[in-house]
Amino acid sequence: MPELPEVETTRRGLLPLAAGRHIKQVVIRDPRLRWPVPATLPARVRGHRIETLTRRGKYLLFDLDDASSLIVHLGMSGSLRAVRAAEPPAAHEAFDLCLDSGWCLRMRDPRRFGALLWAADARAHPLLAHLGPEPLGGALAGDLLYEASRRRTVAVRDFLIDSHVIAGIGNIYANEALFTAGIDPRRAAGRIGRTRYRRLSYAVIRVLEDAIAQGGTTLRDFAGGDGRPGHFQMALRVYGRAGEPCPGCGAPVMRQTLSGRSCFFCRHCQR
DNA sequence: CATAGCACCTGAGGGC
DNA sequence: TGCCCTCAGGTGCTAT
């Protein structure tokens, strides 16, 4: 479910509640996530102060006062929202991070692809250490994508959603950025020139920033930390719009499966 | 090392 | 209404 804009929306929604609060307790209702939630985790973090809430790619990091972090990943179907401690848990609500303020940050994750982990040094954790650069915040330049793509034969859509190349881009925003940049998502990454990668990097930044400004994309039931859905789905131009007219030329948007995942594009506007 | 395919799960939606 | 099928926003692991 969540890509970078949805994770960032969650982060911004929860930051005011989390920063500076102490963790009263962590309640694990269902440890069966992507990796089992360590049984020792609640005791390890209880009583610690949350210094801040940051994001790396699609990972949320609750940075604690001893320099350790709680790592949360929302997987495909996860959402994290604030509820009052007395709120009875519903189905698929795997855990609560209960704060000393009476608020609980409650994870709902029906498919259980999400994660809750603890690390003494989150940035050095194996899951995070090899992530590519952040697309926002100035690190992304077209030249970076160009250099990284040399001799790569994978489709550029697959190249873009590879978190080891660049962090945070998923299927929705890869498709949208490629449309904006006028690049055929099926084209081999290594056969795209420097100029077009510059255009693509601008498109990635623009699409992600626009989506964040809209509170992310709500396809089914995504909600930010404040429980409100995003609205970027209204602004999607090709994703999920097979058969609808291309906003550029009016020809029907095409859908094709690429590496097992749907790809949407306009065969005239994207080359 | 790069690539392709599989695996992990549940729920929604469409066709009949 | 119910059954069966397909599909879904992620990503690590394995075999080649």
Side-chain angles (χ1 to χ4, degrees):
Chain A
M1 169 162 118
E3 300 182 35
L4 186 153
E6 292 73 41
V7 178
E8 179 62 18
T9 296
T10 299
R11 188 190 74 80
R12 292 183 185 184
L14 298 181
L15 177 62
L17 286 173
R21 307 310 321 193
H22 288 77
I23 296 174
K24 191 174 176 184
Q25 61 173 337
V26 178
V27 177
I28 310 297
R29 253 177 243 102
D30 189 349
R32 301 172 304 159
L33 299 182
R34 174 81 196 259
W35 294 278
V37 178
T40 54
L41 184 146
R44 181 60 188 76
V45 302
R46 174 174 301 157
H48 280 280
R49 181 177 187 268
I50 299 170
E51 297 291 344
T52 188
L53 175 56
T54 57
R55 179 188 57 72
R56 177 76 174 95
K58 298 170 191 165
Y59 292 91
L60 284 170
L61 304 175
F62 292 85
D63 293 326
L64 307 181
D65 55 9
D66 63 350
S68 70
S69 303
L70 279 172
I71 302 172
V72 175
H73 195 286
L74 301 179
M76 285 279 270
S77 61
S79 61
L80 196 60
R81 69 188 181 104
V83 300
R84 302 301 302 184
E87 175 99 2
H92 308 302
E93 295 187 333
F95 65 81
D96 285 354
L97 306 181
C98 300
L99 309 178
D100 58 1
S101 56
W103 288 99
C104 288
L105 309 186
R106 183 165 288 175
M107 169 79 147
R108 172 184 149 83
D109 185 12
R111 291 178 72 181
R112 297 193 275 119
F113 290 160
L116 172 63
L117 300 167
W118 173 86
D121 180 0
R123 279 88 187 159
H125 191 281
L127 292 173
L128 282 82
H130 308 293
L131 291 176
E134 289 291 319
L136 303 181
L140 176 62
D143 289 343
L144 184 149
L145 290 178
Y146 174 78
E147 302 296 345
S149 63
R150 294 309 84 189
R151 277 184 283 279
R152 294 290 302 266
T153 60
V154 289
V156 63
R157 195 284 309 264
D158 293 330
F159 179 70
L160 266 190
I161 64 178
D162 180 348
S163 65
H164 301 293
V165 171
I166 180 166
I169 302 173
N171 201 27
I172 292 181
Y173 299 108
N175 277 278
E176 293 295 307
L178 287 162
F179 175 79
T180 298
I183 297 170
D184 187 326
R186 301 167 297 178
R187 179 176 289 273
R191 300 195 57 191
I192 295 171
R194 196 182 285 275
T195 304
R196 306 190 80 205
Y197 270 114
R198 288 190 177 136
R199 197 180 308 154
L200 180 57
S201 74
Y202 281 121
V204 165
I205 292 166
R206 167 110 187 264
V207 166
L208 294 179
E209 288 184 343
D210 283 356
I212 291 170
Q214 296 291 311
T217 297
T218 297
L219 289 189
R220 288 178 185 77
D221 60 357
F222 170 76
D226 58 3
R228 301 215 317 258
H231 300 289
F232 194 69
Q233 64 276 15
M234 306 297 293
L236 294 177
R237 295 195 279 175
V238 290
Y239 185 87
R241 297 197 184 280
E244 295 181 37
C246 162
C249 72
V253 171
M254 307 301 295
R255 174 184 177 279
Q256 187 176 323
T257 300
L258 211 57
S259 306
R261 312 188 67 187
S262 287
C263 197
F264 300 89
F265 59 97
C266 173
R267 58 154 70 113
H268 301 293
C269 298
Q270 294 174 258
R271 301 295 175 131

